[in-house]
Amino acid sequence: MKICEIMKDIVYWQRLLRMGGYYSDSIDGIRGPLTVAAEERWQADASAIAEEVGRFDSRSEDAIATLLPVTQRVARRWLKLAVPLAQSAGLEVKIICGTRSYAEQNRLFAKTPRVTRARGGQSMHNFGLAFDFGLFRGRAYLEDSAQYVRLGRLCLQMPEVTWGGSWKSLVDTPHIQLNLYAGTSAARTAFEQ
Ligand SMILES: [Zn+2]
């Protein structure tokens, strides 16, 4: 999803702003002055982080823009390490997925063949805390490559994240999430409070 789509679901967007620490008013679905002020603070932080850590290709930028700024920083730091590694293998790495609203997650859940086991509120992607990367050779997306593990392993140098490639079951090599909450249900409780 793009940030402009996320912002249209105002209740969801207010929750995301609150999750990031930018909004503490009521979740009322109305884009009033307090919501706008929160958006401006979010944007200011996001720009400062991009300035500090670096900017990337437009696909990655679109995905990063949907993440909580605290996650944006981590995504940029990871990408900064990953880009030269991918290049050394003749590939391009991009962040291809960021935040998904509950409505979008439920839409994906309903798809056949199955693309996700998670409904809205059951994925770290629903709280602005997770992103997925993809590898490309030229314009071609690579579904499978040993480089996914090589790049994912960069997370092992970053104690603030968990890499889906290290999970024992449902290994999810392109997935990276922030360790701010003990797990999905703790994050969900904070998001829906
Ligand atoms: Zn993921």
Side-chain angles (χ1 to χ4, degrees):
M1 295 187 86
K2 292 201 177 180
I3 188 69
C4 55
E5 296 165 331
I6 288 171
M7 288 170 74
K8 280 184 202 151
D9 185 343
I10 299 170
V11 165
Y12 180 78
W13 174 230
Q14 286 177 328
R15 288 196 159 124
L16 202 60
L17 288 167
R18 185 177 62 184
M19 192 75 165
Y22 296 93
Y23 184 73
S24 52
D25 206 49
S26 59
I27 305 293
D28 57 6
I30 299 164
R31 192 170 169 268
L34 293 173
T35 305
V36 173
E39 289 172 13
E40 285 168 0
R41 287 194 294 274
W42 166 302
Q43 272 313 327
D45 279 358
S47 303
I49 291 163
E51 209 55 54
E52 183 191 327
V53 188
R55 289 190 166 84
F56 299 90
D57 66 281
S58 64
R59 174 126 188 219
S60 296
E61 288 297 331
D62 282 352
I64 289 170
T66 68
L67 301 171
L68 297 186
V70 64
T71 314
Q72 294 190 22
R73 176 182 293 281
V74 169
R76 290 185 190 283
R77 284 182 43 225
W78 179 82
L79 208 46
K80 204 171 180 174
L81 299 173
V83 164
L85 264 192
Q87 274 170 359
S88 71
L91 303 177
E92 218 183 318
V93 59
K94 298 177 183 181
I95 291 176
I96 59 172
C97 233
T99 300
R100 292 192 284 270
S101 68
Y102 282 32
E104 174 68 6
Q105 187 73 40
N106 285 329
R107 196 185 67 75
L108 289 179
F109 182 82
K111 274 192 170 181
T112 39
R114 181 152 73 179
V115 295
T116 177
R117 293 165 193 271
R119 297 173 191 260
Q122 295 179 336
S123 163
M124 284 297 198
H125 285 282
N126 303 146
F127 317 122
L129 294 168
F131 56 92
D132 300 329
F133 66 96
L135 286 165
F136 295 80
R137 180 174 281 118
R139 294 176 72 164
Y141 169 68
L142 304 179
E143 189 92 38
D144 210 30
S145 162
Q147 299 300 321
Y148 278 98
V149 169
R150 184 164 168 251
L151 297 190
R153 280 179 177 279
L154 289 168
C155 292
L156 306 177
Q157 308 169 25
M158 301 171 74
E160 65 274 49
V161 303
T162 294
W163 172 42
S166 63
W167 288 337
K168 300 282 178 274
S169 61
L170 294 177
V171 174
D172 190 358
T173 318
H175 177 96
I176 298 170
Q177 66 183 43
L178 228 62
N179 295 333
L180 274 185
Y181 295 88
T184 311
S185 61
R188 181 177 190 165
T189 301
F191 193 80
E192 294 180 1
Q193 60 173 298

Tab-separated table of all heavy atoms in Angstrom, residues 102-145:
chain	number	residue	atom	x	y	z
A	102	TYR	N	-5.719	-2.912	8.153
A	102	TYR	CA	-6.507	-4.113	8.462
A	102	TYR	C	-7.352	-4.508	7.248
A	102	TYR	O	-7.464	-5.687	6.918
A	102	TYR	CB	-7.435	-3.850	9.660
A	102	TYR	CG	-6.771	-3.897	11.014
A	102	TYR	CD1	-5.445	-3.517	11.197
A	102	TYR	CD2	-7.498	-4.314	12.129
A	102	TYR	CE1	-4.867	-3.543	12.459
A	102	TYR	CE2	-6.921	-4.349	13.400
A	102	TYR	CZ	-5.610	-3.956	13.558
A	102	TYR	OH	-5.047	-3.989	14.810
A	103	ALA	N	-7.942	-3.498	6.588
A	103	ALA	CA	-8.809	-3.784	5.440
A	103	ALA	C	-8.009	-4.453	4.325
A	103	ALA	O	-8.463	-5.426	3.715
A	103	ALA	CB	-9.455	-2.493	4.940
A	104	GLU	N	-6.804	-3.944	4.083
A	104	GLU	CA	-5.955	-4.530	3.039
A	104	GLU	C	-5.512	-5.943	3.433
A	104	GLU	O	-5.489	-6.854	2.600
A	104	GLU	CB	-4.733	-3.622	2.800
A	104	GLU	CG	-3.691	-4.168	1.850
A	104	GLU	CD	-4.168	-4.267	0.406
A	104	GLU	OE1	-5.277	-3.802	0.108
A	104	GLU	OE2	-3.402	-4.830	-0.410
A	105	GLN	N	-5.169	-6.121	4.710
A	105	GLN	CA	-4.753	-7.451	5.180
A	105	GLN	C	-5.906	-8.453	5.011
A	105	GLN	O	-5.699	-9.580	4.562
A	105	GLN	CB	-4.339	-7.377	6.655
A	105	GLN	CG	-3.734	-8.668	7.202
A	105	GLN	CD	-2.332	-8.937	6.676
A	105	GLN	OE1	-1.526	-8.029	6.549
A	105	GLN	NE2	-2.045	-10.188	6.359
A	106	ASN	N	-7.118	-8.029	5.341
A	106	ASN	CA	-8.287	-8.909	5.194
A	106	ASN	C	-8.563	-9.228	3.732
A	106	ASN	O	-8.970	-10.337	3.389
A	106	ASN	CB	-9.522	-8.280	5.848
A	106	ASN	CG	-9.442	-8.370	7.367
A	106	ASN	OD1	-8.863	-9.304	7.912
A	106	ASN	ND2	-10.013	-7.382	8.049
A	107	ARG	N	-8.322	-8.264	2.869
A	107	ARG	CA	-8.506	-8.491	1.431
A	107	ARG	C	-7.512	-9.548	0.933
A	107	ARG	O	-7.874	-10.456	0.193
A	107	ARG	CB	-8.293	-7.165	0.685
A	107	ARG	CG	-8.811	-7.133	-0.741
A	107	ARG	CD	-8.457	-5.821	-1.434
A	107	ARG	NE	-7.020	-5.666	-1.651
A	107	ARG	CZ	-6.321	-6.303	-2.578
A	107	ARG	NH1	-6.920	-7.133	-3.400
A	107	ARG	NH2	-5.016	-6.140	-2.682
A	108	LEU	N	-6.258	-9.448	1.416
A	108	LEU	CA	-5.246	-10.444	1.031
A	108	LEU	C	-5.578	-11.814	1.598
A	108	LEU	O	-5.400	-12.831	0.940
A	108	LEU	CB	-3.857	-10.026	1.542
A	108	LEU	CG	-3.193	-8.840	0.860
A	108	LEU	CD1	-1.844	-8.566	1.511
A	108	LEU	CD2	-2.995	-9.113	-0.630
A	109	PHE	N	-6.090	-11.822	2.831
A	109	PHE	CA	-6.419	-13.090	3.492
A	109	PHE	C	-7.474	-13.864	2.697
A	109	PHE	O	-7.453	-15.094	2.646
A	109	PHE	CB	-6.933	-12.827	4.919
A	109	PHE	CG	-7.259	-14.081	5.680
A	109	PHE	CD1	-6.267	-14.809	6.318
A	109	PHE	CD2	-8.568	-14.541	5.744
A	109	PHE	CE1	-6.567	-15.972	7.009
A	109	PHE	CE2	-8.880	-15.708	6.434
A	109	PHE	CZ	-7.875	-16.423	7.070
A	110	ALA	N	-8.373	-13.117	2.062
A	110	ALA	CA	-9.493	-13.747	1.346
A	110	ALA	C	-9.081	-14.310	-0.015
A	110	ALA	O	-9.864	-14.989	-0.668
A	110	ALA	CB	-10.616	-12.721	1.172
A	111	LYS	N	-7.841	-14.042	-0.429
A	111	LYS	CA	-7.412	-14.458	-1.774
A	111	LYS	C	-7.200	-15.965	-1.875
A	111	LYS	O	-6.726	-16.589	-0.924
A	111	LYS	CB	-6.090	-13.771	-2.140
A	111	LYS	CG	-6.255	-12.404	-2.747
A	111	LYS	CD	-4.922	-11.961	-3.335
A	111	LYS	CE	-5.080	-10.703	-4.171
A	111	LYS	NZ	-3.807	-10.286	-4.745
A	112	THR	N	-7.512	-16.527	-3.033
A	112	THR	CA	-7.097	-17.885	-3.353
A	112	THR	C	-6.297	-17.841	-4.661
A	112	THR	O	-6.713	-17.125	-5.588
A	112	THR	CB	-8.307	-18.831	-3.536
A	112	THR	OG1	-9.322	-18.109	-4.207
A	112	THR	CG2	-8.787	-19.416	-2.243
A	113	PRO	N	-5.218	-18.603	-4.771
A	113	PRO	CA	-4.589	-19.364	-3.686
A	113	PRO	C	-4.091	-18.457	-2.565
A	113	PRO	O	-3.849	-17.276	-2.775
A	113	PRO	CB	-3.421	-20.073	-4.386
A	113	PRO	CG	-3.119	-19.219	-5.568
A	113	PRO	CD	-4.433	-18.646	-6.013
A	114	ARG	N	-3.922	-19.089	-1.408
A	114	ARG	CA	-3.607	-18.320	-0.214
A	114	ARG	C	-2.284	-17.571	-0.335
A	114	ARG	O	-1.279	-18.142	-0.747
A	114	ARG	CB	-3.539	-19.279	0.983
A	114	ARG	CG	-3.238	-18.561	2.268
A	114	ARG	CD	-3.797	-19.274	3.449
A	114	ARG	NE	-3.033	-20.484	3.735
A	114	ARG	CZ	-3.333	-21.286	4.756
A	114	ARG	NH1	-4.351	-21.002	5.534
A	114	ARG	NH2	-2.623	-22.362	4.974
A	115	VAL	N	-2.313	-16.305	0.038
A	115	VAL	CA	-1.067	-15.530	0.044
A	115	VAL	C	-0.631	-15.164	1.459
A	115	VAL	O	0.527	-14.798	1.676
A	115	VAL	CB	-1.161	-14.243	-0.824
A	115	VAL	CG1	-1.351	-14.596	-2.281
A	115	VAL	CG2	-2.282	-13.324	-0.351
A	116	THR	N	-1.538	-15.260	2.425
A	116	THR	CA	-1.166	-14.969	3.808
A	116	THR	C	-2.061	-15.752	4.763
A	116	THR	O	-3.209	-16.051	4.442
A	116	THR	CB	-1.266	-13.464	4.135
A	116	THR	OG1	-0.964	-13.255	5.515
A	116	THR	CG2	-2.644	-12.896	3.862
A	117	ARG	N	-1.509	-16.073	5.923
A	117	ARG	CA	-2.284	-16.740	6.965
A	117	ARG	C	-2.844	-15.745	7.961
A	117	ARG	O	-3.529	-16.117	8.902
A	117	ARG	CB	-1.396	-17.730	7.729
A	117	ARG	CG	-0.953	-18.902	6.894
A	117	ARG	CD	0.192	-19.629	7.590
A	117	ARG	NE	0.826	-20.557	6.675
A	117	ARG	CZ	0.442	-21.829	6.520
A	117	ARG	NH1	-0.523	-22.328	7.242
A	117	ARG	NH2	1.050	-22.611	5.651
A	118	ALA	N	-2.481	-14.488	7.801
A	118	ALA	CA	-2.844	-13.478	8.810
A	118	ALA	C	-4.042	-12.642	8.352
A	118	ALA	O	-4.106	-12.188	7.215
A	118	ALA	CB	-1.649	-12.575	9.068
A	119	ARG	N	-4.975	-12.463	9.266
A	119	ARG	CA	-6.077	-11.509	9.041
A	119	ARG	C	-5.643	-10.150	9.580
A	119	ARG	O	-4.611	-10.038	10.248
A	119	ARG	CB	-7.319	-11.953	9.826
A	119	ARG	CG	-7.895	-13.284	9.394
A	119	ARG	CD	-9.008	-13.678	10.376
A	119	ARG	NE	-9.439	-15.057	10.173
A	119	ARG	CZ	-10.536	-15.405	9.506
A	119	ARG	NH1	-11.317	-14.493	8.980
A	119	ARG	NH2	-10.840	-16.677	9.366
A	120	GLY	N	-6.468	-9.141	9.326
A	120	GLY	CA	-6.179	-7.806	9.856
A	120	GLY	C	-5.939	-7.856	11.351
A	120	GLY	O	-6.757	-8.427	12.083
A	121	GLY	N	-4.824	-7.290	11.812
A	121	GLY	CA	-4.492	-7.290	13.235
A	121	GLY	C	-3.635	-8.473	13.658
A	121	GLY	O	-3.274	-8.590	14.822
A	122	GLN	N	-3.287	-9.342	12.702
A	122	GLN	CA	-2.493	-10.532	13.054
A	122	GLN	C	-1.093	-10.505	12.450
A	122	GLN	O	-0.371	-11.495	12.533
A	122	GLN	CB	-3.230	-11.794	12.598
A	122	GLN	CG	-4.548	-11.996	13.326
A	122	GLN	CD	-5.314	-13.222	12.865
A	122	GLN	OE1	-5.139	-13.700	11.745
A	122	GLN	NE2	-6.165	-13.743	13.732
A	123	SER	N	-0.730	-9.394	11.840
A	123	SER	CA	0.593	-9.299	11.225
A	123	SER	C	1.275	-8.028	11.706
A	123	SER	O	0.638	-6.979	11.835
A	123	SER	CB	0.439	-9.242	9.692
A	123	SER	OG	1.634	-8.757	9.104
A	124	MET	N	2.557	-8.097	11.927
A	124	MET	CA	3.322	-6.909	12.311
A	124	MET	C	3.262	-5.841	11.218
A	124	MET	O	3.478	-4.659	11.482
A	124	MET	CB	4.774	-7.273	12.611
A	124	MET	CG	4.971	-7.953	13.954
A	124	MET	SD	4.521	-6.882	15.361
A	124	MET	CE	5.379	-7.740	16.695
A	125	HIS	N	2.944	-6.263	9.986
A	125	HIS	CA	2.770	-5.294	8.904
A	125	HIS	C	1.581	-4.365	9.170
A	125	HIS	O	1.496	-3.289	8.586
A	125	HIS	CB	2.534	-6.010	7.570
A	125	HIS	CG	3.762	-6.629	6.993
A	125	HIS	ND1	4.725	-5.901	6.342
A	125	HIS	CD2	4.196	-7.917	6.964
A	125	HIS	CE1	5.685	-6.710	5.932
A	125	HIS	NE2	5.393	-7.944	6.303
A	126	ASN	N	0.661	-4.789	9.999
A	126	ASN	CA	-0.542	-3.981	10.261
A	126	ASN	C	-0.277	-2.849	11.249
A	126	ASN	O	-1.160	-2.008	11.469
A	126	ASN	CB	-1.675	-4.863	10.806
A	126	ASN	CG	-2.056	-6.019	9.903
A	126	ASN	OD1	-2.421	-7.082	10.371
A	126	ASN	ND2	-1.949	-5.834	8.591
A	127	PHE	N	0.898	-2.841	11.867
A	127	PHE	CA	1.183	-1.847	12.908
A	127	PHE	C	2.353	-0.937	12.540
A	127	PHE	O	2.887	-0.225	13.394
A	127	PHE	CB	1.475	-2.563	14.233
A	127	PHE	CG	0.539	-3.712	14.525
A	127	PHE	CD1	1.024	-4.993	14.722
A	127	PHE	CD2	-0.834	-3.496	14.581
A	127	PHE	CE1	0.159	-6.051	14.969
A	127	PHE	CE2	-1.711	-4.552	14.824
A	127	PHE	CZ	-1.208	-5.837	15.015
A	128	GLY	N	2.787	-0.992	11.302
A	128	GLY	CA	3.889	-0.134	10.868
A	128	GLY	C	5.254	-0.606	11.337
A	128	GLY	O	6.228	0.153	11.303
A	129	LEU	N	5.317	-1.875	11.767
A	129	LEU	CA	6.526	-2.378	12.427
A	129	LEU	C	7.321	-3.369	11.586
A	129	LEU	O	8.338	-3.882	12.058
A	129	LEU	CB	6.131	-3.070	13.746
A	129	LEU	CG	5.543	-2.156	14.830
A	129	LEU	CD1	4.935	-2.995	15.955
A	129	LEU	CD2	6.614	-1.224	15.393
A	130	ALA	N	6.849	-3.671	10.363
A	130	ALA	CA	7.507	-4.725	9.574
A	130	ALA	C	7.607	-4.331	8.107
A	130	ALA	O	6.793	-3.558	7.598
A	130	ALA	CB	6.728	-6.030	9.708
A	131	PHE	N	8.620	-4.889	7.460
A	131	PHE	CA	8.767	-4.687	6.010
A	131	PHE	C	9.346	-5.940	5.382
A	131	PHE	O	9.942	-6.777	6.059
A	131	PHE	CB	9.633	-3.453	5.716
A	131	PHE	CG	11.003	-3.450	6.334
A	131	PHE	CD1	12.097	-3.941	5.649
A	131	PHE	CD2	11.205	-2.956	7.623
A	131	PHE	CE1	13.373	-3.937	6.221
A	131	PHE	CE2	12.475	-2.949	8.210
A	131	PHE	CZ	13.554	-3.442	7.504
A	132	ASP	N	9.133	-6.069	4.067
A	132	ASP	CA	9.654	-7.203	3.294
A	132	ASP	C	10.557	-6.658	2.199
A	132	ASP	O	10.263	-5.606	1.620
A	132	ASP	CB	8.520	-7.974	2.603
A	132	ASP	CG	7.515	-8.544	3.583
A	132	ASP	OD1	7.915	-8.883	4.712
A	132	ASP	OD2	6.331	-8.645	3.209
A	133	PHE	N	11.615	-7.392	1.919
A	133	PHE	CA	12.472	-6.974	0.808
A	133	PHE	C	12.350	-7.946	-0.356
A	133	PHE	O	11.920	-9.084	-0.200
A	133	PHE	CB	13.934	-6.803	1.251
A	133	PHE	CG	14.642	-8.062	1.685
A	133	PHE	CD1	15.442	-8.762	0.794
A	133	PHE	CD2	14.548	-8.529	2.985
A	133	PHE	CE1	16.137	-9.911	1.195
A	133	PHE	CE2	15.226	-9.678	3.394
A	133	PHE	CZ	16.007	-10.366	2.501
A	134	GLY	N	12.710	-7.446	-1.519
A	134	GLY	CA	12.693	-8.266	-2.721
A	134	GLY	C	13.974	-8.070	-3.486
A	134	GLY	O	14.613	-7.013	-3.401
A	135	LEU	N	14.367	-9.106	-4.216
A	135	LEU	CA	15.575	-9.040	-5.041
A	135	LEU	C	15.177	-9.015	-6.507
A	135	LEU	O	14.222	-9.679	-6.916
A	135	LEU	CB	16.468	-10.244	-4.748
A	135	LEU	CG	17.192	-10.162	-3.406
A	135	LEU	CD1	17.754	-11.504	-3.007
A	135	LEU	CD2	18.289	-9.110	-3.460
A	136	PHE	N	15.928	-8.243	-7.261
A	136	PHE	CA	15.632	-8.061	-8.679
A	136	PHE	C	16.914	-8.230	-9.481
A	136	PHE	O	17.989	-7.807	-9.046
A	136	PHE	CB	15.093	-6.648	-8.929
A	136	PHE	CG	13.757	-6.396	-8.243
A	136	PHE	CD1	13.706	-6.097	-6.883
A	136	PHE	CD2	12.572	-6.489	-8.949
A	136	PHE	CE1	12.489	-5.881	-6.241
A	136	PHE	CE2	11.348	-6.278	-8.325
A	136	PHE	CZ	11.305	-5.971	-6.970
A	137	ARG	N	16.744	-8.868	-10.637
A	137	ARG	CA	17.843	-8.866	-11.616
A	137	ARG	C	17.339	-8.038	-12.776
A	137	ARG	O	16.383	-8.438	-13.441
A	137	ARG	CB	18.211	-10.286	-12.053
A	137	ARG	CG	19.349	-10.292	-13.082
A	137	ARG	CD	19.821	-11.693	-13.431
A	137	ARG	NE	20.713	-12.218	-12.393
A	137	ARG	CZ	20.452	-13.301	-11.667
A	137	ARG	NH1	19.350	-13.980	-11.854
A	137	ARG	NH2	21.308	-13.708	-10.750
A	138	GLY	N	17.922	-6.865	-12.947
A	138	GLY	CA	17.318	-5.915	-13.883
A	138	GLY	C	15.922	-5.585	-13.389
A	138	GLY	O	15.743	-5.232	-12.231
A	139	ARG	N	14.917	-5.771	-14.242
A	139	ARG	CA	13.557	-5.476	-13.810
A	139	ARG	C	12.842	-6.713	-13.295
A	139	ARG	O	11.706	-6.635	-12.839
A	139	ARG	CB	12.761	-4.868	-14.971
A	139	ARG	CG	13.333	-3.509	-15.358
A	139	ARG	CD	12.627	-2.941	-16.559
A	139	ARG	NE	11.271	-2.493	-16.213
A	139	ARG	CZ	10.551	-1.688	-17.002
A	139	ARG	NH1	11.028	-1.287	-18.137
A	139	ARG	NH2	9.352	-1.314	-16.635
A	140	ALA	N	13.502	-7.874	-13.404
A	140	ALA	CA	12.831	-9.130	-13.055
A	140	ALA	C	12.919	-9.404	-11.547
A	140	ALA	O	14.016	-9.454	-10.974
A	140	ALA	CB	13.465	-10.280	-13.831
A	141	TYR	N	11.785	-9.596	-10.938
A	141	TYR	CA	11.712	-9.944	-9.521
A	141	TYR	C	12.117	-11.399	-9.333
A	141	TYR	O	11.666	-12.273	-10.075
A	141	TYR	CB	10.277	-9.723	-9.022
A	141	TYR	CG	9.999	-10.291	-7.658
A	141	TYR	CD1	10.596	-9.765	-6.525
A	141	TYR	CD2	9.115	-11.363	-7.511
A	141	TYR	CE1	10.332	-10.294	-5.263
A	141	TYR	CE2	8.839	-11.890	-6.253
A	141	TYR	CZ	9.448	-11.346	-5.139
A	141	TYR	OH	9.180	-11.867	-3.894
A	142	LEU	N	12.990	-11.657	-8.395
A	142	LEU	CA	13.427	-13.025	-8.141
A	142	LEU	C	12.661	-13.584	-6.948
A	142	LEU	O	12.796	-13.103	-5.829
A	142	LEU	CB	14.929	-13.066	-7.839
A	142	LEU	CG	15.861	-12.458	-8.888
A	142	LEU	CD1	17.308	-12.565	-8.433
A	142	LEU	CD2	15.677	-13.153	-10.241
A	143	GLU	N	11.873	-14.588	-7.233
A	143	GLU	CA	11.075	-15.246	-6.183
A	143	GLU	C	12.015	-15.952	-5.195
A	143	GLU	O	11.778	-15.950	-4.002
A	143	GLU	CB	10.165	-16.278	-6.854
A	143	GLU	CG	9.123	-16.893	-5.951
A	143	GLU	CD	7.814	-16.114	-6.002
A	143	GLU	OE1	7.431	-15.642	-7.096
A	143	GLU	OE2	7.198	-15.996	-4.940
A	144	ASP	N	13.080	-16.496	-5.766
A	144	ASP	CA	13.939	-17.356	-4.986
A	144	ASP	C	15.396	-17.047	-5.323
A	144	ASP	O	15.739	-16.922	-6.490
A	144	ASP	CB	13.629	-18.809	-5.393
A	144	ASP	CG	13.871	-19.755	-4.245
A	144	ASP	OD1	13.711	-19.334	-3.085
A	144	ASP	OD2	14.241	-20.915	-4.510
A	145	SER	N	16.223	-16.895	-4.297
A	145	SER	CA	17.641	-16.670	-4.527
A	145	SER	C	18.352	-16.900	-3.204
A	145	SER	O	17.828	-16.542	-2.141
A	145	SER	CB	17.881	-15.234	-5.010
A	145	SER	OG	19.247	-14.884	-4.833
